[in-house]
Amino acid sequence: MSLAGEGGVVSDLGQPVDVLIIGGGNAGLCAAIAARQRRASVHVLEAAPKFYRGGNSRHTRNMRCAHDAATATLSGPYAEAEFLADILRVTGGNTDEDLARLMVARSKEMLGWIAEQGVRFQPSLGGTLGLDRTNAFFLGGGRAMLNALYRTAERLGVGIDYDAEVVDIEIEAGSFRSLTVARGEARQRLHAATLVAAAGGFEANLEWLAEAWGAAAQNFLIRGTPYNRGSVLKMLLGRGVKAVGDPTECHAVAIDARAPKFDGGIVTRLDCVVFGVVVNRDGRRFYDEGEDIWPKRYAIWGRLVARQPGQIAYIIFDATSLELFMPSLFPPVTATTIPELAGRLGLDPDVVDATIARFNAAVRPGTFNRDVLDDCRTEGLDPPKSHWARRIERPPFYAYPVRPGITFTYLGLSVDQEARVLMANGQPSANMFAVGEIMAGNVLGKGYAAGIGMTIGSVFGRIAGEEAARHVRQ
């Protein structure tokens, strides 16, 4: 559908659309569907080509939602109080608690609502992930989920344009007036009654990352789309929208260092940290690998590795643990001895051998259980390993090199409980909303727990769509 075509957005010469959405990921589509279900005319501008549509939602697998009882795809209840406690724990209290409570409460409706839009779920996964009770997994993954939402949006009459990059936004007295969209060399000015920003963070903008992280940012890998460069975020912040969050805070995990610079996705993530030890370029451990259940701690490891020399680290484990986790796309480095393994990694064999020997000597007997906080721990070791500590002694020995894998950034736009953006004076905009990663920093001041990004996008996307349609009717 063209920008000025039948059923699409029209230029200055015609009538504006009711709801104009920047970004075609999960959050933007939930907003589009919710607004269209309330009879608003809706159009989505997606900067990526059609094949790469959907931003980071293409790489997701599941969504965390509160629910009162087991379902066909969830093994037990996950109460609102527990969900909120998990958010407070992983963020260290660095969250807008009112917005977090709202998100948790509205999440109870989301599994049913999103299923009504054609999204299907599979039985949840246990094992290392430990999410069988808390997170619903999309059948076919994120791309299948997105395809279902796109089909529903198109059936409802939502207009969608691909390769449509927003290059300017006009705001007057806290209200959206128009924007300019580029398709190749062509430029067009568009008007709408309301604007929903769903264009993601700035994680694919290495220059902006370097402003916050310095030269270390050049060693970061970007797990998701190369199209999230933060241009819409920067425009809105520069035009008086209030910022939220720290530019150095982000969802960053340790991913295989052999992954591509962009778009490696879920297959490059490693879930084996809890089963071994992690050493830096100097061959030394630097953090407790068994601090907590993996889904509540996996997203701290990108930042931990980012602080190490050269922004690289190595997960070392033995044959006992090889089949306890989902492997990376790339095979592990293998050797019959620890010194040989260290040599293949380019590390000092004597230092690594001594590190593993100290770890093995500190391990205390316990009953290993990968699904709970077990009693396998170290004693007298700094840093300790609090759970799942077992001696690394059974050959062959394995290692994965890892680098920081940035998923999305937390610097974003401040919003209220109606998902309206707040202006620098603290007042809500009359007709601008923000959803998804571009406003995730309101809930995620730091830290992460698996599936919360999709919850933020779905819940606030639906809220924004409903509120945008209500604004049009007023």
Side-chain angles (χ1 to χ4, degrees), residues 26-27 57 60 62-64 83 103 251 298 408 410 436-437 439-440 444 448-460:
N26 166 67
S57 300
T60 193
N62 60 82
M63 181 166 62
R64 180 179 294 255
F83 191 175
M103 183 196 75
H251 176 357
Y298 79 100
F408 63 91
Y410 291 175
E437 292 176 7
M439 50 69 65
L444 297 170
Y448 191 76
I452 287 183
M454 287 297 296
T455 314
I456 292 172
S458 300
V459 168
F460 288 103

Side-chain angles (χ1 to χ4, degrees), residues 191-231:
H191 291 264
T194 59
L195 177 73
V196 178
F202 66 92
E203 63 275 1
N205 188 328
L206 297 179
E207 294 79 12
W208 196 347
L209 288 176
E211 291 178 16
W213 285 90
Q218 297 304 315
N219 288 324
F220 294 175
L221 302 175
I222 314 306
R223 300 177 68 207
T225 177
Y227 295 94
N228 280 10
R229 295 186 50 80
S231 56

Side-chain angles (χ1 to χ4, degrees), residues 81 190 202 286-287 369 433 437 443 454 458 472:
L190 308 176
F202 66 92
F286 52 90
Y287 199 80
N369 186 336
F433 304 81
E437 292 176 7
V443 176
M454 287 297 296
S458 300
V472 170

Side-chain angles (χ1 to χ4, degrees), residues 390-407:
R390 296 190 294 177
R391 292 169 62 89
I392 299 173
E393 58 186 2
R394 180 183 163 193
F397 300 97
Y398 302 95
Y400 283 106
V402 291
R403 288 198 180 276
I406 309 299
T407 309

Side-chain angles (χ1 to χ4, degrees), residues 7 18 44 77 90 120 134 137 147 164 169 174 184 214 229 247 265 281 284 309 322 344 411 428 452 458:
D18 291 334
V44 175
V90 299
R120 298 171 64 190
T134 61
F137 279 68
N147 288 343
I169 301 174
R229 295 186 50 80
R281 191 177 64 185
R284 306 185 189 283
L322 181 62
R344 292 187 176 182
L411 175 68
I452 287 183
S458 300

Side-chain angles (χ1 to χ4, degrees), residues 302-363:
R303 291 179 59 83
L304 291 171
V305 174
R307 297 190 184 107
Q308 299 307 306
Q311 295 72 56
I312 193 163
Y314 305 86
I315 308 168
I316 297 175
F317 55 99
D318 69 7
T320 306
S321 301
L322 181 62
E323 297 183 0
L324 295 179
F325 59 92
M326 289 187 292
S328 165
L329 175 66
F330 303 94
V333 178
T334 307
T336 57
T337 68
I338 292 296
E340 180 189 3
L341 182 68
R344 292 187 176 182
L345 297 173
L347 305 177
D348 187 314
D350 293 335
V351 173
V352 175
D353 197 36
T355 295
I356 299 301
R358 282 193 298 272
F359 172 79
N360 286 343
V363 171

Side-chain angles (χ1 to χ4, degrees), residues 59-309:
H59 296 300
T60 193
R61 292 186 294 178
N62 60 82
M63 181 166 62
R64 180 179 294 255
C65 290
H67 47 278
D68 294 327
T71 70
T73 58
L74 292 161
S75 66
Y78 186 44
E80 291 183 43
E82 184 182 358
F83 191 175
L84 181 63
D86 284 340
I87 293 174
L88 295 175
R89 183 178 304 111
V90 299
T91 63
N94 191 348
T95 182
D96 182 321
E97 193 166 333
D98 289 337
L99 286 176
R101 288 182 182 277
L102 172 66
M103 183 196 75
V104 168
R106 292 291 297 265
S107 77
K108 293 183 75 171
E109 309 165 2
M110 285 312 302
L111 294 181
W113 185 84
I114 205 166
E116 290 171 1
Q117 314 318 318
V119 176
R120 298 171 64 190
F121 294 94
Q122 67 181 47
S124 201
L125 300 180
T128 313
L129 295 175
L131 300 174
D132 54 298
R133 183 174 60 86
T134 61
N135 289 45
F137 279 68
F138 304 118
L139 182 62
R143 193 179 286 272
M145 177 271 299
L146 279 170
N147 288 343
L149 294 181
Y150 270 100
R151 282 194 296 270
T152 296
E154 290 165 349
R155 176 176 53 80
L156 291 173
V158 173
I160 301 165
D161 268 290
Y162 302 104
D163 295 298
E165 181 185 4
V166 174
V167 295
D168 190 34
I169 301 174
E170 180 189 4
I171 297 172
E172 182 180 323
S175 291
F176 167 70
R177 297 304 183 198
S178 69
L179 60 75
T180 302
V181 63
R183 294 191 65 178
E185 297 299 319
R187 299 289 187 272
Q188 189 169 17
R189 191 180 184 196
L190 308 176
H191 291 264
T194 59
L195 177 73
V196 178
F202 66 92
E203 63 275 1
N205 188 328
L206 297 179
E207 294 79 12
W208 196 347
L209 288 176
E211 291 178 16
W213 285 90
Q218 297 304 315
N219 288 324
F220 294 175
L221 302 175
I222 314 306
R223 300 177 68 207
T225 177
Y227 295 94
N228 280 10
R229 295 186 50 80
S231 56
V232 172
L233 171 62
K234 183 165 285 189
M235 275 185 269
L236 290 171
L237 291 177
R239 288 157 177 74
V241 176
K242 183 179 179 182
V244 67
D246 181 339
T248 68
E249 293 291 347
C250 53
H251 176 357
V253 305
I255 68 171
D256 199 302
R258 298 162 292 183
K261 190 68 174 179
F262 296 96
D263 234 6
I266 199 72
V267 295
T268 62
R269 196 181 94 184
L270 291 162
D271 297 327
C272 52
V273 167
V274 295
F275 301 125
V277 299
V278 184
V279 302
N280 61 18
R281 191 177 64 185
D282 300 327
R284 306 185 189 283
R285 293 177 61 246
F286 52 90
Y287 199 80
D288 183 348
E289 299 92 348
E291 183 180 39
D292 203 345
I293 295 292
W294 185 238
K296 298 178 183 179
R297 284 295 180 268
Y298 79 100
I300 71 171
W301 279 89
R303 291 179 59 83
L304 291 171
V305 174
R307 297 190 184 107
Q308 299 307 306

